[in-house]
Amino acid sequence: MARFLLKRILQSVLTVFGVITAAFFLVRLAGDPAVLLLPIEASAEDIERIRAALGLDQPLIVQYIRFLGDAVRGDFGDSLRQGTSAMALVLERVPATLELALTSFFVGIGLAFVLGILMRMTRVRWLRELITWIALGRQAIPLFSFGLLLILIFSIWLKWLPTFGRGTWQHLVLPALTLGTYELALYLRLFNASLASEQRLDYVRTAYAKGQGHLKVLLRHMLPNALLPLVTVAGINLGLLLGGTVVTETVFSWPGVGRLIVQSVSQRDFPVILAGTFLISVMFVIINLLVDILYGFLDPRVRMT
């Protein structure tokens, strides 16, 4: 088990290193932030003075080495726009992103669990097909379009829920539904496929032969084993939710990390972009590491890989 953990931790560190390295060089393609910080009529001397103050006049490899040295200490510099610590600005937005991502995650898993059990229990074929088509239809609609559709129905027409912002639980409903239902079709198909595979095994037939009811066999015997593939996919999707709330946060003006990064890209605020990318990548690999560890406990065969 120790070798398994060491291997996963090393992979996680290398992943974060690769992400921040790629982000460092990619943000340079957006242009010179010194030009954006100064008015249009600024002279070439003014631009060079700003570039020197920001350290942008040094060779790129020197900037990269200095960046890595600061990043190891958690220092990504100050925001070019707000003049405060870039990491502090990102950390202020983390609670909002975690709130949205975790709520969306449990909404998706909860719906998949309830609907999956219902599909296995019911003998009504049209009901199973209806649930499947609704889930597939939802996944076919992009997050941006689905979010606007929910706003149109529940905020503008029915006036039940607020349109945007963060404050009460009502502000969380529409963004969480938008994100949480996107992977519903994937969860349902994976869950039902796992249950169907388990149902053909000998231990399930033995449980039925002992006179146990269908619901008891499903929940007590089949469900624990059927959850193994779902744990892996759900864990990966949780990491994606933490880093992929950009569209939803933009649609609903949710003050999270994703929206901050989008705003920073348009402003060429390199320190905030890099700090946000670093933090999201760290959260992503930590979640995947925890999923690998959990899977290793649930299935000892994984520890041998």
Side-chain angles (χ1 to χ4, degrees):
M1 189 64 180
R3 181 182 178 184
F4 171 80
L5 289 176
L6 183 61
K7 179 180 178 182
R8 293 297 187 268
I9 292 173
L10 180 61
Q11 290 174 346
S12 300
V13 172
L14 292 177
T15 300
V16 173
F17 173 77
V19 168
I20 62 174
T21 298
F24 174 85
F25 289 103
L26 287 175
V27 294
R28 264 57 184 178
L29 300 177
D32 191 346
V35 177
L36 188 64
L37 290 173
L38 293 173
I40 299 177
E41 63 273 11
S43 63
E45 291 78 9
D46 293 332
I47 295 176
E48 288 301 321
R49 186 166 57 252
I50 291 295
R51 295 186 79 250
L54 298 176
L56 299 175
D57 59 332
Q58 300 179 3
L60 191 58
I61 187 64
V62 175
Q63 296 181 43
Y64 173 65
I65 294 174
R66 187 181 63 185
F67 163 73
L68 286 182
D70 293 337
V72 170
R73 300 192 300 269
D75 181 11
F76 289 84
D78 294 336
S79 169
L80 302 182
R81 283 292 179 180
Q82 303 188 39
T84 57
S85 171
M87 182 56 75
L89 290 174
V90 173
L91 290 175
E92 288 177 1
R93 303 291 189 99
V94 169
T97 295
L98 287 176
E99 180 182 0
L100 177 57
L102 292 175
T103 304
S104 303
F105 174 76
F106 287 113
V107 165
I109 292 295
L111 284 174
F113 181 82
V114 172
L115 294 177
I117 295 296
L118 178 62
M119 291 175 67
R120 299 302 303 179
M121 291 296 298
T122 184
R123 300 183 182 275
V124 182
R125 181 178 178 180
W126 67 264
L127 180 59
R128 295 197 300 268
E129 293 181 351
L130 177 63
I131 294 174
T132 301
W133 280 107
I134 290 176
L136 290 173
R138 164 63 194 98
Q139 194 169 32
I141 304 175
L143 289 172
F144 184 84
S145 301
F146 192 76
L148 292 178
L149 182 62
L150 291 183
I151 291 175
L152 179 64
I153 295 174
F154 294 100
S155 298
I156 298 178
W157 289 353
L158 299 177
K159 302 184 185 302
W160 288 353
L161 297 169
T163 306
F164 58 86
R166 175 177 180 244
T168 65
W169 65 269
Q170 294 174 318
H171 290 86
L172 186 60
V173 174
L174 296 185
L177 283 176
T178 301
L179 268 180
T181 58
Y182 186 68
E183 296 290 352
L184 181 59
L186 173 63
Y187 290 154
L188 279 178
R189 292 178 62 182
L190 184 63
F191 192 40
N192 281 315
S194 298
L195 287 174
S197 177
E198 293 296 322
Q199 193 168 15
R200 293 191 292 267
L201 298 180
D202 292 338
Y203 78 92
V204 175
R205 289 194 290 267
T206 301
Y208 281 127
K210 292 181 177 180
Q212 297 183 15
H214 183 51
L215 182 60
K216 184 177 180 180
V217 173
L218 180 63
L219 297 179
R220 183 175 180 180
H221 299 286
M222 296 169 56
L223 187 60
N225 294 323
L227 286 177
L228 286 174
L230 193 61
V231 167
T232 303
V233 174
I236 294 174
N237 283 336
L238 177 56
L240 293 175
L241 284 174
L242 289 173
T245 58
V246 175
V247 175
T248 305
E249 288 181 358
T250 302
V251 171
F252 294 96
S253 296
W254 190 264
V257 177
R259 187 162 178 256
L260 176 63
I261 293 177
V262 171
Q263 294 170 342
S264 301
V265 169
S266 64
Q267 298 170 352
R268 298 180 192 171
D269 197 343
F270 292 171
V272 176
I273 297 172
L274 294 173
T277 303
F278 170 78
L279 190 61
I280 288 177
S281 64
V282 168
M283 290 191 295
F284 182 86
V285 298
I286 288 177
I287 289 173
N288 280 272
L289 178 62
L290 293 176
V291 170
D292 286 340
I293 294 174
L294 177 61
Y295 207 107
F297 280 111
L298 294 175
D299 189 350
R301 295 171 297 179
V302 178
R303 307 174 200 172
M304 304 302 295
T305 61

